[in-house]
Structure formats: structure tokens, C-alpha cells
Amino acid sequence: MQWKLDNNAPLYLQIADKVKLGIVSGEYAPGKRIDSVRDLAEQTGVNPNTMQRALSRLEDEGLLSTNRTNGKYVTEDTELINQIKDELAKKYVENFLASMKQMGFSGNIILALVQHEVGKGENANVYTGM
């Protein structure tokens, strides 16, 4: 996992979001043990307390669980993982649409742009503005 963090949002929230994305994308498989707090903190270049705060947030959401002697594990609840994946997808689409509409694009043009990008040239004539 690539740890690209910026100073525009709290680090623990950025870390929690990146680990969550790793879980819903399958990078961290259900039931898999994740690296220790100390190892993850070292990988990201943050204080272990910051990493612990991020992982605790994911535990509160049910995505991680702690086995007292063996570390932290990704939930095996694939229904929860899929639910969170759907919620993230909806949030990304809503943000994308809001940005496109703010730039003045209509729904039809946005749809044509997306179809073009998905098709990578298959529907090159859908949007003639490119």
C-alpha cells in the first residue's frame, strides 16, 4: 500500500481511509492479520499513537478486530465489507458529479464522458467535445 499523506486533513483519518480502501479492494483479505501498529507507523512515517487512533476507528466500524496476543485482523464479515464498499462508491460518485456540475457539465455530457473513458475509445463518437 502506498502511503501518500498530506497536511490538509488529520493524518489518522487519512490513514483510516487508506486502510479501509485496502480492505474493500481486497488488498487486505477478510480474516488476514495486518502489520503491527508499530510496523505500520514506521511504514507511514507517523507516530504509533496516530496509527493506533486510525486503526481504533476501523475497529469501531467493525472492519478490524484485535486478538489480544496475535494483533489486528480484518473482519471476515464480507457483507459488512461489501456494504462499506458500496457506501464509498456512492460517496465518490456524488463528489465526482458535484464537481462536474460545478464546472458546468450537464448530466448527459457527464454520462458521455464516463462512457467514453470506460470504453477507452470504443464509443469515441459519443462525446464530440474531446
Side-chain angles (χ1 to χ4, degrees), residues 33-77:
R33 183 180 184 279
I34 64 168
D35 291 340
S36 71
V37 169
R38 201 168 295 286
D39 288 344
L40 287 170
E42 189 175 308
Q43 291 170 26
T44 58
V46 300
N47 183 297
N49 293 331
T50 301
M51 182 58 67
Q52 180 58 48
R53 188 171 181 192
L55 298 181
S56 291
R57 183 176 178 89
L58 295 175
E59 282 189 80
D60 292 345
E61 291 182 35
L63 287 172
L64 294 178
S65 62
T66 300
N67 181 319
R68 190 179 292 263
T69 59
N70 292 330
K72 297 188 184 299
Y73 290 82
V74 175
T75 183
E76 292 183 8
D77 185 349

Side-chain angles (χ1 to χ4, degrees), residues 3 11 24 30 33 35 45 52 62 66 90 95 108 113:
W3 298 100
L11 292 176
V24 301
R33 183 180 184 279
D35 291 340
Q52 180 58 48
T66 300
K90 183 178 178 187
N95 290 340
N108 289 337
L113 286 165

Side-chain angles (χ1 to χ4, degrees), residues 15-124:
I15 293 166
D17 286 347
K18 288 187 183 303
V19 174
K20 184 187 296 187
L21 190 58
I23 292 170
V24 301
S25 71
E27 184 176 346
Y28 295 120
K32 179 182 178 192
R33 183 180 184 279
I34 64 168
D35 291 340
S36 71
V37 169
R38 201 168 295 286
D39 288 344
L40 287 170
E42 189 175 308
Q43 291 170 26
T44 58
V46 300
N47 183 297
N49 293 331
T50 301
M51 182 58 67
Q52 180 58 48
R53 188 171 181 192
L55 298 181
S56 291
R57 183 176 178 89
L58 295 175
E59 282 189 80
D60 292 345
E61 291 182 35
L63 287 172
L64 294 178
S65 62
T66 300
N67 181 319
R68 190 179 292 263
T69 59
N70 292 330
K72 297 188 184 299
Y73 290 82
V74 175
T75 183
E76 292 183 8
D77 185 349
T78 55
E79 190 173 307
L80 174 64
I81 293 171
N82 287 331
Q83 175 188 346
I84 291 174
K85 185 176 187 172
D86 290 346
E87 289 169 5
L88 283 174
K90 183 178 178 187
K91 182 177 112 179
Y92 291 155
V93 169
E94 287 171 352
N95 290 340
F96 168 74
L97 289 173
S99 295
M100 295 299 285
K101 288 177 181 177
Q102 187 176 14
M103 288 190 288
F105 289 102
S106 69
N108 289 337
I109 297 299
I110 295 169
L111 184 58
L113 286 165
V114 170
Q115 287 175 332
H116 175 77
E117 287 301 311
V118 169
K120 289 294 182 191
E122 292 175 20
N123 298 319

